[in-house]
Amino acid sequence: WGGGSATPSGITLPADVGGTARFENNAVTITVPPGASEKQLTITVQRVLNTSQLVTDDDVLLSPVYEILKNFTENFSNPVTITLTFDPDLVGTNQTASIFYYDEEEMEWVEIGGETSGERITAEVDHFTKFAVFAVDKKGDDIPDSEPEATAEVTFSDIAGHWAEAGIKQAAANGIIDGYSDGTFKPNGEVTRAEFAVMMARMLNLQGGGATLAFTDTGTIGAWARQGIA
C-alpha cells in the first residue's frame, strides 16, 4: 500500500495518493487511483457473517459478503477498482459470475458486472458498501450462437443411430441439455420435473432471479436446478 499505513481497523492513505491494498487473505483487493479523494482515506473491510437478511435461497452466492467502508460519505472522484475471489465451481451452465453491491435504501442487490480471470473478478466502483459475487444467467449476447460445426462436435457415447440423435446434438450445442459425467446421454431415460424446468428456462433464455422457492422439498433440489426452477 504505497504511501499508506495500516491500523487495526483498516488501512489509511494520505489525500490524493493512490495505492493497492489486500484484505481477507487476499480475497479482497482494492486499488485507489491518485486523485480519487481529496481527503485522507481510511478503508475497512469486514466479512458479513449473518447474511440471512441479505441473501435468499434462490440466490447463487459465489463469495462471502464483504462490507467495505471508508471514513467519509462522498463518492470517489475517480473510480476505485475492487477485485473479489469467488468459487467458479458453483457457476452453472450458461451462467457467469458478477459483482453486486447492496443498496441500503432500496434493500436490494444491484448488479455491477466485472471482468473475470480464473477465480477472481474485477470491477470499478465510485462508492463503498456491501459487495458480493453472485452467479447470473448469461445474457443473450454472451451465449455463443450455435453453428453447424458446433453441432457436429457434440458427441455422446450412446446416441449413435438413435432416432433423436440430430435433435440431441442440436439441443446440446444450444446449451439446452447436458450429458452425464460418464459421457452418456441416456436418450431413453426419464426426465424429472427439475430437468424439464432447467431445459425450459435455458430454451426461453429466462433472465432475473425468478420466484422464491417455497416448496416443502426445496432442500432436496440440487444446486444445478434451483435457478432454472426459480
Side-chain angles (χ1 to χ4, degrees):
W1 181 258
S5 61
T7 71
S9 59
I11 291 179
T12 298
L13 184 69
D16 291 326
V17 176
T20 297
R22 293 175 175 81
F23 303 85
E24 295 284 327
N25 295 322
N26 293 332
V28 180
T29 303
I30 300 174
T31 300
V32 180
S37 171
E38 297 179 352
K39 299 179 180 180
Q40 176 175 286
L41 173 63
T42 298
I43 300 175
T44 59
V45 176
Q46 184 175 7
R47 185 181 301 202
V48 179
L49 299 180
N50 184 4
T51 61
S52 60
Q53 301 300 315
L54 300 173
V55 181
T56 70
D57 290 339
D58 299 330
D59 295 322
V60 183
L61 186 63
L62 305 179
S63 75
V65 176
Y66 297 104
E67 186 164 34
I68 306 176
L69 301 175
K70 62 184 185 314
N71 56 316
F72 52 85
T73 59
E74 297 88 354
N75 287 355
F76 291 108
S77 301
N78 295 322
V80 170
T81 301
I82 64 171
T83 299
L84 304 178
T85 60
F86 67 96
D87 187 350
D89 292 336
L90 298 179
V91 181
T93 303
N94 284 340
Q95 287 186 326
T96 187
S98 185
I99 295 179
F100 284 69
Y101 77 84
Y102 190 73
D103 187 323
E104 299 286 354
E105 293 185 359
E106 298 295 331
M107 300 180 66
E108 64 181 12
W109 289 98
V110 179
E111 185 173 3
I112 301 173
E115 296 292 330
T116 59
S117 176
E119 60 179 15
R120 302 176 70 82
I121 180 169
T122 301
E124 291 186 339
V125 300
D126 63 0
H127 70 291
F128 286 159
T129 179
K130 296 181 180 71
F131 295 90
V133 184
F134 291 88
V136 298
D137 290 337
K138 288 183 179 178
K139 299 175 176 62
D141 293 341
D142 298 330
I143 300 176
D145 294 331
S146 61
E147 299 178 353
E149 293 80 7
T151 302
E153 292 175 357
V154 177
T155 58
F156 300 107
S157 62
D158 57 351
I159 64 171
H162 195 277
W163 62 267
E165 180 180 0
I168 292 169
K169 288 182 177 180
Q170 186 174 20
N174 289 337
I176 298 172
I177 61 172
D178 296 316
Y180 292 88
S181 59
D182 62 357
T184 64
F185 179 75
K186 297 180 174 55
N188 296 319
E190 294 183 352
V191 176
T192 67
R193 286 165 56 87
E195 290 170 335
F196 181 81
V198 170
M199 288 189 291
M200 183 68 70
R202 291 175 179 176
M203 182 181 68
L204 298 177
N205 193 26
L206 299 182
Q207 304 295 321
T212 300
L213 300 184
F215 306 112
T216 58
D217 55 354
T218 295
T220 67
I221 299 174
W224 61 271
R226 289 196 175 195
Q227 184 70 23
I229 294 171

